[in-house]
Amino acid sequence: MTDAGLDLDRLGFEAGAHILLERALRALPPGGRLRVTGHDPALAVHLRGWCRSRGHGFAVESDGCVVSLGQAAGLRWIGAQRAGGPRPDGIVRRPPAHWGLAARGALVEAGGPTPPWFDIADRDVVWADLAPRLYAHAAAAQWDPAVAVDWSAGTDLPADIDAAVVQVMTYLVENEQAALVIPARLLARIHPHFREVQQLLAVQAADEARHIEVFTRRALLSGTELGTSSAGGRASLTSLLAETDFSLASFLLSVLGEGSFLALLGFLDEHAPDPVTRQVTRLARVDEARHVAFGVAHLEHQAALDPTLRGRLRAAVERRHDALVDTAGLNADVFDALVVLAAGEWTAAGSPAVTAPCNDSRRRWTTAAGSASSGSASRPTRRRSCPHCTPATSCDQDPPLHAVYGRSSVSYGLELRGLA
Amino acid sequence: MTLLMGAVAYDPKVVTIWEGFRRWLRDRGLPFDYLLYSNYERQVEDLVAGRIHAAWNSPLAWVRAERLAAAEGRAVRAAVMRDTDRDLTSVVVVRSDSDVHSATDLRGRTVAVGAVDSPQATLIPLAHLRAAGAADLTVRRFDIGVGLHGDHVGGEREAARALAAGEVDAACMIDANHLVFSREGTLPPGSTRIVAQTAPFDHCNMTLVDTAPAALADRFVALLLSMSYADEAVRPLLDLEGLKVWEPGRTSGYAQLADAVDQEGFYDAKGQVTAADYTP
C-alpha cells in the first residue's frame, strides 16, 4: 500500500509544522504510515524528537522521513465520556465528580482529579427549569450604578430625616452582605454541570454587590456616618449562613429573606423622601424579584419531586425561630426610621397610627423649615390602593408596621401557596 | 520480601511518579518499595552491592553498573526501558550566521556542553565531534546538576543560552531539546543551524542485579510491561515519566556512550570513577 504523504514545504516545527502533521495523522488508519517531506533544514531532527514524544514510529528513508502512527493518541480516549449535552435537556441527574470543571457536553478523558467540593450534584436538588431564562434575563438587566442612578439629584433633606434614611440604608447593606455571601458559598458547592444555576447565582451575587454599593453611596450622600448594626439583626442574618442544605438555604434566603426584602424595598419606594433613595430601592427591587422567582421556582421543582419538602421547610423555619428566640430581635432603630419615613411629619396628629392608613406620604419631607419642622405641610388624606394588602387583610395597621411585620403572614403565604 | 528499587531524585516529580507506581504495583500484589538517591553513582554502587534490587538508571549509570558488576563477579540486566529511551540523537548547533558548516569547521573553536556527566549534552556529542575531525576544541562546560547524569536540563539550556549570547561557537543538546529551546525562546526560532547529529543511542533503563529475588524481579518487569496508556490510573504517571509504553530492555544502544566514557576516561574498565573534576 502506498504511504500517505505530507509536504511541509519550508514550514518547520518551530513554526507549527506539528499541526499539519497531526491533521494528516488523524486521517490515517491504525498502523498507517505517513511520508513527510519538506525543506526546513531541521525537519528530520525535530520530527524524530516529536515522534518519540508522541509515541509514533520514525524512520529516515531514501525519499524522506516516514512516520508510523502510534496507538497512544487513541488509547488516551478509551473510556472517555460525553459529559451530558450542552443544552439543558442534556443535563444528567447525577454528574460524576471527575467531570469536575469540564464543560457540559465535552468529551471527558477518563481519570483525572475528582474535586470533593462540588457536593451539590443532584439535578433534583439544584435544578429549576426557569434557571436558564432567569439567567438570560439577569444578564440582560444588569445596570451600572454610576449611570442608572442620578446621583446629582441630591437628597436635600432635613438632617433627622436623612438620618432615618441612612439608618435604613445601613440595615439594607447588612442584609445585602448576607445575600451576597450565601449564594456565593452555595455556588462554589454546585457541580459545574449545572452551569445555568451557577451562572444565575453568580449574577445574583453580582447584583448584591451592586446593591451594597448603591445603598452605601446613598447613605453617604450627605456625608454622615452610617447607622447602627444590632446584635440581633446580625444574629438573624448569620443564622441564614448556617444552613448548608441547598433547598433550605434557598428557601430561607431567596423566599423568606429576599421575599420580605421585596416588601421592604417596595415600602421604601413608596415612602422615600428623596429621588436618589427611590431610584436605588427601585433598581434593587427588580433584581430581588428575580432572586425570589428562582427560589420559588426551585422549591416548586423540588416539591413536585419530594413530598417531604414542606415538612422540612417548616422545620427550617422553626429551627430558625428557636435559634433567634433569645435574641433582642431586629434593629429597633430601623423600625423607628421606617416609621419616621412613613409618618411624613413630626406631629402626633400626623402619626400614621392616628390618621388614615396607607395614604400617599411621598415627598412630604422637604427642606422648607416650616413644613419639615412644624409639620405644617398639608397632608394628603386620600386612601390609596395599598400594595401590601390583600382582600384578607385590611389596612387597619399603619403602613410601615404593616409592611414590615405583616409581611410574614401575608406575602410568605402568597409565595408558598403553590407549595401548600 | 520487598522488591527495592532505587531512583535518582533529579526533580520533585520523581516522588509523585514513584509513589504512584508503588501504589499501582502494590495494588497488583507486588511488594515494592523505592529509595531515592541524590546521585547515580551511589545508586549504582548500592545496586551492585545488593543493597537494592533494581535501579532506574541513566545510560551512563548503566555503563558503570555493567562494568562494576562484572568486576565484582555479578551480573546486571537492562530489563525494561521507556519507548522514549530508544533512538535518541544529539545535535551540535551554531548560530545561523556562523561560518561553521560542518563538524570539522569547529576545529579550534569553543563548544558549549552540559554537565560533565551528561551523556547527551557532553560525552556523546564531544566524542562525535572528535571522531568527525573537530580537533582542538575548547569546551565550555555548564555543570548544573552534577551527579544527575544530565537528567537536569539546566546544563543544556545554559549551553544554548551561551550560544545565543555569542559566547561560544556551538552548543550540544539532545535533538528534542533543540526544538524545546526554540519554542520557549531560549534559542530564537530560526536563529540557529544544526551542523552535526550523532547516530541514534539509547537512554535510561531499569537495571536489575542478579542478587534480586528472581520471582519478584520477574513480576516487577511483567507488571511494568503490562502498563497500558489506556489505563486512566496509570496514564498520568506515564505522562509524567515521559513514556507511552514500557519496552523490553536492550543494550544495543549504549556502545556510543561506552566509547565516549573510555575516550573521556570517565570510568575505568572496572567501573571506578576516574573523571577529573567530577564530584557528584
Side-chain angles (χ1 to χ4, degrees):
Chain A
M1 196 170 88
T2 308
D3 294 336
L6 173 67
D7 183 10
L8 291 169
D9 199 1
R10 284 179 294 180
L11 184 66
F13 275 74
E14 295 169 338
H18 68 285
I19 294 174
L20 292 185
L21 187 59
E22 282 175 340
R23 181 169 178 266
L25 289 172
R26 277 196 296 272
L28 291 186
R33 286 161 45 102
L34 181 71
R35 190 166 300 279
V36 181
T37 54
H39 303 298
D40 178 60
L43 175 62
V45 169
H46 291 168
L47 183 56
R48 172 190 287 273
W50 186 86
C51 286
R52 198 168 56 234
S53 69
R54 296 297 192 282
H56 300 302
F58 170 86
V60 179
E61 297 185 356
S62 57
D63 52 351
C65 303
V66 174
V67 178
S68 305
L69 182 64
Q71 293 184 324
L75 293 176
R76 178 180 289 281
W77 296 104
I78 288 179
Q81 274 182 306
R82 283 277 166 204
R87 296 178 191 81
D89 61 2
I91 287 175
V92 303
R93 182 172 174 198
R94 291 197 178 91
H98 81 270
W99 286 3
L101 297 169
R104 194 171 70 222
L107 182 62
V108 180
E109 180 185 350
T114 53
W117 310 287
F118 305 132
D119 63 308
I120 303 175
D122 187 329
R123 181 190 59 205
D124 292 345
V125 168
V126 73
W127 186 249
D129 290 334
L130 195 58
R133 274 198 294 139
L134 281 176
Y135 168 68
H137 178 259
Q142 296 297 293
W143 43 272
D144 179 356
V147 298
V149 179
D150 180 10
W151 297 103
S152 66
T155 55
D156 204 20
L157 293 172
D160 40 13
I161 303 308
D162 194 62
V165 174
V166 168
Q167 178 57 63
V168 173
M169 291 295 137
T170 305
Y171 176 69
L172 295 184
V173 169
E174 188 170 287
N175 278 261
E176 297 288 18
Q177 310 264 40
L180 186 157
V181 170
I182 291 167
R185 284 163 49 138
L186 290 172
L187 187 162
R189 291 175 48 208
I190 293 174
H191 195 299
H193 187 72
F194 306 104
R195 62 178 158 78
E196 291 87 347
V197 177
Q198 282 191 320
Q199 289 167 312
L200 189 58
L201 292 178
V203 177
Q204 186 171 331
D207 288 342
E208 312 300 9
R210 237 178 14 246
H211 300 170
I212 291 169
E213 177 189 344
V214 295
F215 292 150
T216 304
R217 193 163 168 181
R218 165 60 191 92
L220 297 176
L221 263 190
S222 49
T224 59
E225 292 180 328
L226 290 187
T228 60
S229 166
S230 74
R234 291 200 310 282
S236 172
L237 292 172
T238 304
S239 72
L240 295 175
L241 270 65
E243 182 55 68
T244 56
D245 180 280
F246 180 77
S247 294
L248 298 185
S250 178
F251 170 62
L252 293 176
L253 175 71
S254 296
V255 178
L256 297 192
E258 292 179 303
S260 60
F261 212 63
L262 267 187
L264 176 56
L265 294 171
F267 173 86
L268 290 170
D269 182 10
E270 186 177 354
H271 297 288
D274 64 275
V276 174
T277 300
R278 186 167 301 111
Q279 285 178 60
V280 296
T281 51
R282 265 185 198 172
L283 286 165
R285 196 179 181 203
V286 172
D287 293 338
E288 297 295 349
R290 194 170 53 240
H291 306 169
V292 174
F294 174 67
V296 171
H298 168 70
L299 290 177
E300 186 177 21
H301 178 87
Q302 269 282 85
L305 298 167
D306 179 4
T308 71
L309 179 69
R310 275 194 303 151
R312 291 196 293 124
L313 297 181
R314 184 178 300 112
V317 171
E318 289 168 358
R319 270 201 310 277
R320 187 145 182 262
H321 174 269
D322 293 344
L324 297 174
V325 72
D326 294 328
T327 70
L330 299 183
N331 192 342
D333 292 344
V334 177
F335 291 119
D336 291 347
L338 292 171
V339 172
V340 167
L341 294 180
E345 58 189 63
W346 290 115
T347 64
S351 162
V354 174
T355 56
C358 288
N359 42 24
D360 186 351
S361 56
R362 289 183 187 181
R363 298 179 201 78
R364 283 174 288 113
W365 298 106
T366 72
T367 53
S371 61
S373 58
S374 68
S376 61
S378 65
R379 186 143 203 270
T381 55
R382 175 175 56 86
R383 282 181 85 97
R384 61 188 294 273
S385 170
C386 172
H388 310 299
C389 296
T390 70
T393 62
S394 68
C395 282
D396 293 331
Q397 304 169 73
D398 63 80
L401 297 183
H402 168 46
V404 177
Y405 296 112
R407 176 67 181 167
S408 59
S409 61
V410 179
S411 298
Y412 294 172
L414 289 174
E415 284 154 2
L416 295 177
R417 188 166 296 155
L419 304 173
Chain B
M1 175 172 271
T2 296
L3 187 88
L4 196 54
M5 186 208 76
V8 168
Y10 67 92
D11 186 281
K13 73 177 182 180
V14 172
V15 175
T16 308
I17 292 167
W18 286 104
E19 276 293 313
F21 281 154
R22 181 172 72 157
R23 193 180 319 117
W24 192 90
L25 293 165
R26 285 182 168 185
D27 285 348
R28 282 149 187 79
L30 180 71
F32 172 84
D33 206 352
Y34 67 93
L35 285 177
L36 291 180
Y37 286 86
S38 65
N39 66 82
Y40 278 107
E41 306 311 333
R42 190 171 302 280
Q43 174 170 293
V44 170
E45 289 159 10
D46 278 4
L47 176 71
V48 174
R51 287 188 277 270
I52 55 176
H53 306 124
W56 181 223
N57 268 341
S58 74
L60 187 60
W62 160 255
V63 169
R64 187 177 181 215
E66 207 176 21
R67 295 182 183 190
L68 211 52
E72 298 286 328
R74 304 245 60 90
V76 290
R77 62 183 171 117
V80 292
M81 63 202 318
R82 302 170 298 184
D83 53 349
T84 46
D85 284 316
R86 296 180 170 212
D87 298 327
L88 287 72
T89 66
S90 290
V91 292
V92 182
V93 180
V94 299
R95 288 182 298 281
S96 295
D97 58 0
S98 169
D99 60 352
V100 174
H101 294 279
S102 67
T104 51
D105 290 343
L106 281 170
R107 187 174 297 158
R109 305 288 186 107
T110 302
V111 177
V113 299
V116 61
D117 55 346
S118 171
Q120 60 268 15
T122 305
L123 296 168
I124 291 175
L126 283 180
H128 176 84
L129 285 175
R130 280 192 290 266
D136 304 322
L137 291 176
T138 298
V139 174
R140 184 163 170 201
R141 219 170 60 204
F142 290 89
D143 277 333
I144 295 174
V146 171
L148 304 180
H149 291 187
D151 285 357
H152 193 296
V153 75
E156 253 173 283
R157 184 174 278 115
E158 287 306 309
R161 284 189 178 132
L163 175 68
E167 298 168 10
V168 296
D169 298 299
C172 302
M173 61 200 70
I174 209 161
D175 50 16
N177 279 342
H178 182 248
L179 181 56
V180 169
F181 295 156
S182 299
R183 283 181 167 171
E184 72 186 16
T186 300
L187 297 174
S191 70
T192 58
R193 187 155 42 77
I194 296 167
V195 294
Q197 181 178 21
T198 69
F201 57 87
D202 286 352
H203 211 254
C204 302
N205 73 58
M206 184 65 71
T207 311
L208 286 167
V209 67
D210 59 358
T211 50
L216 291 181
D218 289 346
R219 178 80 179 133
F220 177 48
V221 171
L223 282 171
L224 288 179
L225 290 172
S226 75
M227 285 182 177
S228 169
Y229 201 63
D231 178 353
E232 65 192 60
V234 82
R235 185 168 57 242
L237 303 172
L238 298 178
D239 281 340
L240 211 52
E241 183 55 39
L243 74 156
K244 300 291 186 289
V245 63
W246 292 101
E247 302 274 9
R250 67 181 189 190
T251 56
S252 57
Y254 297 119
Q256 272 192 92
L257 179 59
D259 286 346
V261 164
D262 290 336
Q263 287 177 33
E264 202 68 38
F266 201 88
Y267 300 134
D268 68 14
K270 293 184 176 180
Q272 296 303 313
V273 176
T274 48
D277 304 328
Y278 178 47
T279 312

